[in-house]
RNA sequence: GCCCCCGUAGCUCAGCUGGAUAGAGCGUCGGACUUCUAAUCCGAGGGUCGCAGGUUCGAAUCCUGCCGGGGGCGCCA
């Protein structure tokens, strides 16, 4: 029995009960099945009566009373799921479930094995998530790291609900910043002054040494630039790999230009009639598609703007068969979204297939001061430094535990000093604690309950056992919501809640050596299901679930 | 001026496709280790959900206006 069936049984009963009151017509919107704010208000509660009151022309509490009768018939009696139904507040229908229901739910959880996530979506899509895509002119900094952690988690979430998802990094290896980068390296190699707006970081000096050692002439700017980009991409790749992020594709902007894709996209736009010449430049009439002003595609000096290859790039993504394009962009690029979407529409594609997720800033705080993060000035905190400092798990957690649209501060001193109070350790500790219990059980000769019989245990369940079972049952829904809303931070919150419920259960309930063999077996089963859920949740975040701490 | 994000406990933030007495972590204060990991747990204190209207059985949540903070508004990328 899949773990969600216990919830589906209740949801179905509520919907059927509501339908019965409306001569078989379903309620729109569907009634909720929520966790009430306080435990003494029952295990689950529904707003069905409030939704129905209007169309039935009756007051919500009276409707709730009728629903109560329907629900008792469906879930009570022989079904044995129900202790009682209460009507409370403005007309909430509160379900108080029997121990039998909880035992069945637990049996379902354990029987599901590792597969505790949501059922695959009925409408799977091929999705390309482009993220990080930092200019290859310097090491990855913490802002890029947040994009990496977020984009990677979004991919994991979308995959978890059954989409076919790929990770891609767009390498800006064409255009003026590459020229500037080459000039900066070259200047360092020759001990000259950096060009105006040159890249000032110490890493540029290091790159220069490496490039010189490879026998490249500092005067050959093209060769210097090529090698510099290559070395930087190698570094970025290594950093991401260390961070647990593996891209499926590294897509070169230059390759687009060389293949002629930029020219063909331009021709396509021209043919569509959405372009025009003005003051020597070629413009795209993006205002026809919701942008606030038209945009230049080709400057009056004949050079394409940044937008042009990007249009070609997104067109290429669509041509590769992706039905949905997700771009994870830095906050400084959000003004760019409207014109890109407009451009995609101008090409005749569905603008709804393009989705931009805007990342807010991440600040590294040290000694109460925010570190600067300008690549040009070179005084930024690199992702590597952060990982060295607080580790991959903590770094990923702190980048993910807040909504991506909220600025995040990571106080290094605090993260170092309070490592033991860190929320990520709190969750990991619960996992390790369970592992320890299971080891202990094995030592005592207890068998791992890969399945439990729902009727085996006659002893009542403790309040904290029920709370934990109920929490585990929420997992599929939480994953689904987090994926749909592109909100991995919900998984952080959920993991914390699972850990808290587990710790409470641990406090109240002896597992190994519990009174009664059936009790011990069911509690071991609950530990197993909890361990799998925590590992699954952390896995969605790219965070490890240790066996020992 | 226009666009985007934010404004919720002392601090950092969840909750925002409407539900009951608004939550968590940190910090403060007070308790709990002869028991499967005390990296834990229990308790206390802490709130005009920026302000004002509106929508309705019901608003932190939706709508309008205003105030405050951040970011973006280039023939740069």
């Amino acid at each position: 029995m899949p773990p969600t069936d216990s919830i589906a049984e209740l949801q179905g009963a509520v919907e059927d009960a509501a339908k019965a009151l409306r001569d078989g017509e379903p309620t729109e919107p569907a009634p909720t099945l929520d966790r009430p704010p306080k435990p003494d208000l029952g295990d689950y509660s529904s707003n069905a009566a409030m939704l129905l009151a209007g169309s039935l022309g009756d007051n919500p509490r009276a409707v709730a009373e009728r629903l109560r009768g329907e629900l008792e018939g469906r879930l009570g009696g022989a079904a044995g799921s129900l202790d009682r139904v209460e009507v409370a507040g403005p007309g909430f229908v509160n379900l108080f479930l029997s121990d039998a229901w909880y035992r069945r739910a637990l049996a379902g959880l354990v029987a599901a094995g590792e597969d505790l996530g949501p059922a695959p979506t009925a409408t799977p899509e091929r999705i390309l998530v482009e993220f990080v895509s930092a200019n290859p002119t310097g090491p990855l900094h913490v802002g890029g790291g947040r994009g990496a952690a977020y984009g990677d988690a979004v991919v994991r979430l979308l995959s978890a609900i059954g989409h076919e998802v790929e990770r891609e990094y767009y390498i800006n290896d064409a255009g003026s910043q590459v020229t500037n980068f080459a000039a900066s390296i070259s200047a360092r190699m020759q001990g000259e002054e950096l060009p105006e707006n040159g890249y000032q970081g110490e890493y540029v000096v290091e790159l220069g040494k490496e490039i010189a050692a490879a026998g490249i002439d500092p005067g050959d700017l093209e060769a210097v630039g090529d090698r510099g980009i290559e070395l930087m991409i190698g570094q970025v790749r290594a950093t991401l790999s260390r961070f647990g992020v593996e891209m499926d594709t590294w897509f070169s902007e230059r390759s687009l230009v060389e293949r002629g894709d930029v020219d063909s996209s331009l021709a396509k736009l021209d043919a569509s009639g959405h372009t025009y010449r003005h003051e020597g430049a070629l413009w795209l009439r993006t205002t026809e598609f919701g942008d606030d002003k038209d945009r230049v595609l080709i400057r009056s000096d004949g050079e394409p703007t940044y937008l042009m290859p990007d249009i070609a790039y997104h067109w290429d993504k669509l041509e590769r068969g992706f039905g949905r394009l997700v771009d994870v962009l830095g906050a400084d690029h959000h003004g760019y979204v409207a014109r890109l979407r407009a451009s995609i529409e101008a090409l005749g594609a569905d603008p709804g297939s393009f989705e931009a997720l805007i990342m807010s800033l991440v600040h590294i705080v040290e000694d109460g001061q925010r570190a600067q993060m300008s690549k040009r000035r070179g005084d930024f905190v690199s992702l590597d430094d952060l990982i060295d400092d607080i580790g991959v798990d903590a770094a990923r957690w702190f980048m993910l535990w807040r909504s991506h649209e909220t600025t995040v501060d990571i106080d290094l001193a605090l993260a170092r000093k309070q490592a033991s109070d860190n929320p990520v350790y709190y969750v990991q500790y619960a996992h390790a604690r369970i592992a320890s219990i299971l080891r202990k059980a094995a030592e005592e000769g207890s068998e791992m309950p890969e399945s439990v019989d729902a009727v085996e245990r006659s002893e009542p369940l403790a309040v904290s056992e029920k709370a934990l079972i109920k929490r585990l049952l929420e997992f599929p829904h939480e994953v689904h919501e987090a994926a749909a809303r592109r909100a991995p931070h919900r998984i952080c919150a959920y993991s914390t809640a699972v850990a808290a419920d587990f710790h409470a259960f641990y406090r109240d309930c002896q597992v190994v050596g519990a009174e009664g063999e059936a009790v011990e077996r069911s509690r071991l089963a609950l530990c197993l299901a909890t361990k799998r859920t925590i590992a699954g949740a952390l896995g969605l975040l790219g965070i490890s679930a240790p066996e020992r701490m």
Side-chain angles (χ1 to χ4, degrees):
Chain A
M1 168 164 137
T4 46
D5 277 15
S6 299
I7 300 288
E9 177 199 359
L10 303 179
Q11 184 81 51
V14 169
E15 282 170 20
D16 288 348
K19 258 198 249 179
L21 264 57
R22 296 186 17 127
D23 300 323
E25 207 179 314
T27 308
E28 188 66 34
T32 59
L33 187 68
D34 286 325
R35 171 182 283 241
K38 286 182 73 174
D40 55 312
L41 292 171
D43 296 301
Y44 290 95
S45 110
S46 178
N47 67 350
M50 275 102 83
L51 294 177
L52 289 170
S55 63
L56 293 178
D58 207 345
N59 78 68
R61 288 196 64 110
V63 175
E65 285 299 338
R66 291 168 63 193
L67 282 172
R68 183 156 77 102
E70 294 286 340
L71 285 166
E72 279 170 350
R74 283 174 167 76
L75 295 169
S81 296
L82 211 56
D83 272 351
R84 64 183 189 281
V85 180
E86 286 181 2
V87 173
F92 286 99
V93 175
N94 294 336
L95 305 179
F96 292 76
L97 299 169
S98 65
D99 273 17
W101 182 86
Y102 277 104
R103 289 195 303 267
R104 280 203 296 276
L106 175 59
L109 285 167
V110 179
E114 306 280 340
D115 190 20
L116 293 167
T121 171
T123 54
E125 296 180 285
R126 277 199 73 202
I127 305 176
L128 183 68
V129 180
E130 180 208 331
F131 60 114
V132 190
S133 297
N135 281 341
T137 51
L140 208 54
H141 55 86
V142 291
R146 190 179 185 194
Y150 177 74
D152 189 58
V154 166
V155 170
R156 289 167 191 253
L157 284 167
L158 292 172
S159 303
I161 62 170
H163 294 295
E164 191 186 327
V165 198
E166 290 184 26
R167 298 167 172 86
E168 187 156 300
Y169 188 116
Y170 181 57
I171 306 168
N172 294 117
D173 53 1
S176 61
Q177 84 279 3
V178 176
T179 317
N180 185 17
F181 186 49
S184 301
I185 300 171
S186 176
R188 288 298 198 192
M189 288 168 82
Q190 300 174 86
E192 293 171 358
E193 283 281 298
L194 280 174
E196 204 181 336
N197 295 326
Y199 292 91
Q200 296 181 13
E202 188 61 26
Y203 69 92
V204 179
V205 178
E206 296 303 316
L207 281 176
K209 284 182 191 159
E210 261 189 83
I211 290 168
I216 292 169
D217 173 11
D220 186 348
L221 286 182
E222 199 178 321
V224 169
D226 285 357
R227 190 76 184 122
I229 298 284
E230 200 180 311
L231 289 168
M232 278 323 311
I233 286 293
Q235 264 189 47
V236 167
R237 194 174 192 143
T239 303
L240 285 177
S241 182
R242 188 181 173 213
F243 201 45
V245 178
E246 300 292 342
M247 296 289 171
D248 294 295
T249 311
W250 294 76
F251 196 100
S252 156
E253 175 184 359
R254 191 184 295 178
S255 73
L256 273 178
V257 179
E258 287 169 356
R259 279 205 317 244
D261 285 16
V262 175
D263 292 337
S264 61
S265 292
L266 184 56
K268 212 171 159 59
L269 286 171
D270 257 336
S272 75
H274 298 303
T275 60
Y276 63 93
R277 292 219 160 260
H278 178 64
E279 292 180 351
L282 186 73
W283 297 68
L284 181 64
R285 217 182 296 278
T286 52
T287 48
E288 277 182 29
F289 306 101
D291 198 3
D292 12 332
K293 53 178 103 167
D294 290 342
R295 305 295 169 175
V296 172
L297 295 176
I298 307 292
R299 293 189 264 159
S300 49
D301 64 3
E303 286 296 309
T305 61
Y306 177 78
L307 179 60
M308 195 52 242
D310 232 13
I311 293 172
Y313 175 44
H314 283 79
W315 182 249
D316 179 83
K317 290 180 182 178
L318 291 167
E319 295 236 292
R320 278 186 275 156
F322 292 101
R324 178 170 295 276
L325 311 182
V326 175
D327 284 18
V328 177
L329 300 173
D332 54 338
H333 281 74
H334 87 255
Y336 186 69
V337 173
R339 75 192 72 163
L340 192 53
R341 178 175 286 118
S343 306
I344 289 170
E345 194 171 357
L347 278 169
D350 173 13
S353 61
F354 175 69
E355 183 179 328
L357 301 173
I358 305 300
M359 301 295 305
S360 278
L361 303 175
V362 55
H363 294 291
I364 295 299
V365 176
E366 189 148 34
D367 303 325
Q369 286 197 321
R370 284 180 170 179
Q372 293 298 322
M373 279 173 295
S374 161
K375 253 190 220 184
R376 294 238 173 86
R377 271 178 305 185
D379 54 345
F380 53 84
V381 179
S382 75
L383 180 57
D384 275 316
D385 289 346
L386 183 69
I387 297 172
D388 289 342
D389 212 325
I390 65 177
V392 169
D393 287 341
R396 286 186 82 128
W397 178 277
F398 276 108
M399 286 169 169
L400 291 174
W401 74 326
R402 301 304 183 210
S403 156
H404 68 279
E405 38 198 22
T406 298
T407 305
V408 149
D409 283 336
I410 301 179
D411 188 324
L412 288 182
L414 206 69
R416 281 193 290 261
K417 195 183 91 192
Q418 302 192 330
S420 61
D421 297 328
N422 208 306
V424 65
Y425 294 120
Y426 179 83
V427 176
Q428 290 181 318
Y429 181 71
H431 186 270
R433 210 176 203 187
I434 297 169
S436 171
I437 293 172
L438 297 181
R439 278 194 301 273
K440 169 93 174 176
E443 281 166 23
E444 310 266 315
S446 298
E447 206 178 308
M448 254 337 95
E450 291 298 335
S451 69
V452 291
D453 188 332
V455 297
E456 181 181 77
R457 172 174 168 179
S458 55
E459 293 84 350
L461 281 80
V463 170
S464 48
E465 282 183 286
K466 294 185 188 178
L468 182 54
I469 290 169
K470 216 159 32 164
R471 183 73 68 189
L472 299 184
L473 291 172
E474 291 172 5
F475 186 52
H477 181 249
E478 288 297 323
V479 175
H480 191 87
E481 284 296 297
R485 300 182 191 213
R486 322 299 192 229
H489 73 278
R490 286 174 157 261
I491 300 298
C492 292
Y494 175 72
S495 319
T496 306
V498 174
D501 285 336
F502 174 76
H503 288 309
F505 158 76
Y506 177 88
R507 176 195 70 227
D508 294 344
C509 302
Q510 185 70 26
V511 178
V512 178
E515 288 288 318
E517 201 182 318
V519 174
E520 182 184 291
R521 279 181 57 78
S522 74
R523 286 181 179 165
L524 280 172
L526 183 51
C527 284
L528 198 58
T530 304
K531 184 166 179 279
R532 288 167 174 166
T533 301
I534 292 175
L538 290 177
L540 290 169
L541 304 172
I543 294 173
S544 69
E547 295 291 314
R548 299 169 197 273
M549 286 174 77

